[in-house]
Amino acid sequence: MIEIVGCVEHLLTNAAVEVSSLNIAFLNRLFKSQRNHDLLCKSSVFEWARKIGSPNFFGGCAPCVGVQIRSNGQISTSDLDFRESEHDGEHVRRSIVDDPEVSAHATHFFGAYSEYRQLSAKLHCLYGVPIQHLPRLSSNSRHNLRANKGVKLHPFARSLVYDLRQHSEHSLWGPFRLDGSQNIDWEKLEGLMMILSYNILRFADRYSTHDLALIPPWDEPFVGATPYSLWLPPRSPDIEQPLPLPIELQDPYNVTGVWMRVVCFLDYRELFTFNFSEVQPLPTQSRPPIDTEEAIRFIVVKLHATSIEQPGEDDGKELPIVHFKGTSSSALPPVDPNANSKIRGTVRLTSQGDVRWTTLSVFHGEERWRSEGIQIGGVQAARGIIGFWFDKDFDPYGPAGPTAFWKVSNDPYEDTFGMEEG
């Protein structure tokens, strides 16, 4: 697997930035093969869904689709079909949490990482079109999933994304591993991508809106997962360029401009119940899949690069750190006071060469929310940034959730959705 991922990264790194890139076209053809496509589906989320979704797991009962959290904060299994099972609902719910064989497929907490599953998740992230249903594996695979090809994956991805145990100072509360290495946890990023895509498409279908600015560029395999693929019309140049060059022209990450951001979150009572109910899994086990509906917000972010400094001791040395400031304004729903704020942050390289974005949302002069994300595909990749938002004080009780943002214009003064700059 490591050789395969290395070859894919090499082709993407050296791909032309146009959509018609021959390298991307070759990768598209390559992954139309069912056997190659199967390589995208080997991470914990898929293995967990295969195990629980198997008709044999519960002695012949219907596939498990997840649990829901009721309005009173209680976890409910009433929507699962156990009629063909000799198990009662409570026993099945405990089985999901306590079965060590299931958890072995589902968890990578506290350093118990499977590099094979990490590489599969990375491949899925680079592929970039989130897989939302459990696919039927090719005939030479050890699982026969003909009966389970309709199992939805978002309850399993949601369980991973909203499990607060994965957040600590060692993971920077972002999509990084818990071992303090600052290496990317690709299974976290995969889960974030799957949940964000599911919620965005559900929103677009529910409200019959297909505004291209609201849809991230995640609809074509491998497109946008290449460095410097973020090509947009240049901002209007000044008649006279002073020397030295302005900060935005020195910025290697191309921060200045308009970005579309999406934020998803569970009701806090549901998040708290999911993480701190009486029945707790062991530290090495995962929480049950959840089918609870999330809220979603779309936010227009206008950024300006403000300063540049040399990388720090723990940063990648190839590029500098760029600081930025700007504003956030609610796009959908059009009125949301929690979305209107000042924003500031940094972009830098990690020691592994990945592009790390940190943002801070500032309300009336006080910091409130923070986020940590990774730009999928590298420097100036069009795919955008995926990561976690969370409380700026790193509260272990939350809240926290998925977020992503992608660039829609190089002109920070562009009037987007008819909104004026704050």
Side-chain angles (χ1 to χ4, degrees), residues 102-406:
V102 175
S103 296
H105 288 291
T107 186
H108 53 279
F109 291 117
F110 305 114
Y113 297 97
S114 162
E115 290 303 328
Y116 186 85
R117 293 199 296 265
Q118 285 284 322
L119 289 168
S120 177
K122 181 176 184 177
L123 201 57
H124 188 191
C125 290
L126 294 175
Y127 181 80
V129 181
I131 300 167
Q132 296 293 353
H133 291 82
L134 190 64
R136 181 182 62 193
L137 293 182
S138 55
S139 58
N140 64 336
S141 298
R142 60 188 180 92
H143 295 280
N144 182 357
L145 296 176
R146 289 183 180 275
N148 296 335
K149 60 182 179 181
V151 174
K152 296 177 181 178
L153 292 167
H154 65 85
F156 302 91
R158 188 177 293 107
S159 175
L160 171 63
V161 166
Y162 287 101
D163 192 331
L164 295 178
R165 293 176 298 171
Q166 68 186 308
H167 295 304
S168 77
E169 62 180 11
H170 300 295
S171 68
L172 304 175
W173 279 67
F176 303 100
R177 299 190 183 192
L178 281 165
D179 57 10
S181 65
Q182 297 189 25
N183 291 336
I184 293 177
D185 186 334
W186 287 99
E187 293 193 272
K188 285 185 188 177
L189 274 179
E190 178 188 47
L192 290 162
M193 178 183 73
M194 294 167 74
I195 280 298
L196 288 163
S197 174
Y198 172 80
N199 289 331
I200 290 168
L201 295 177
R202 186 195 63 185
F203 178 92
D205 291 341
R206 177 176 295 179
Y207 295 99
S208 300
T209 177
H210 295 279
D211 192 308
L212 292 179
L214 296 179
I215 308 298
W218 302 348
D219 57 344
E220 296 184 67
F222 299 107
V223 173
T226 55
Y228 304 100
S229 55
L230 180 57
W231 190 92
L232 293 167
R235 62 183 67 89
S236 301
D238 297 331
I239 296 176
E240 295 182 2
Q241 289 286 2
L243 293 177
L245 291 175
I247 293 293
E248 59 263 26
L249 296 183
Q250 301 178 50
D251 166 24
Y253 307 104
N254 195 15
V255 170
T256 300
V258 181
W259 299 74
M260 178 58 66
R261 184 170 197 170
V262 61
V263 174
C264 299
F265 54 94
L266 287 175
D267 179 272
Y268 184 72
R269 293 170 299 178
E270 297 171 341
L271 177 70
F272 189 88
T273 300
F274 177 61
N275 282 277
F276 304 107
S277 60
E278 291 184 6
V279 179
Q280 286 290 311
L282 295 175
T284 56
Q285 296 174 343
S286 292
R287 302 190 186 279
I290 50 171
D291 204 16
T292 303
E293 190 169 298
E294 297 145 269
I296 186 170
R297 299 289 185 268
F298 292 91
I299 302 168
V300 175
V301 180
K302 298 185 176 183
L303 300 179
H304 298 264
T306 57
S307 64
I308 296 176
E309 66 172 300
Q310 292 303 307
E313 181 180 351
D314 298 327
D315 301 318
K317 309 305 181 188
E318 292 79 8
L319 293 175
I321 300 170
V322 172
H323 295 255
F324 58 81
K325 292 182 179 179
T327 60
S328 295
S329 304
S330 180
L332 288 173
V335 179
D336 181 2
N338 289 318
N340 301 323
S341 70
K342 303 294 184 181
I343 190 169
R344 63 173 178 258
T346 59
V347 193
R348 68 186 73 204
L349 294 183
T350 70
S351 59
Q352 301 298 314
D354 300 295
V355 184
R356 172 189 169 193
W357 288 66
T358 303
T359 70
L360 280 163
S361 296
V362 182
F363 296 81
H364 308 294
E366 293 189 9
E367 297 175 354
R368 183 172 180 184
W369 306 119
R370 187 182 181 101
S371 77
E372 288 283 353
I374 289 293
Q375 192 157 8
I376 306 295
V379 178
Q380 296 192 39
R383 188 71 60 76
I385 295 91
I386 298 177
F388 287 99
W389 68 267
F390 47 92
D391 183 84
K392 58 97 176 177
D393 291 325
F394 308 99
D395 191 333
Y397 294 98
T403 185
F405 48 103
W406 55 95

Side-chain angles (χ1 to χ4, degrees), residues 14-30:
N14 293 281
V17 295
E18 296 85 3
V19 174
S20 58
S21 162
L22 294 177
N23 285 7
I24 290 178
F26 171 72
L27 287 170
N28 268 312
R29 292 195 304 271
L30 199 64

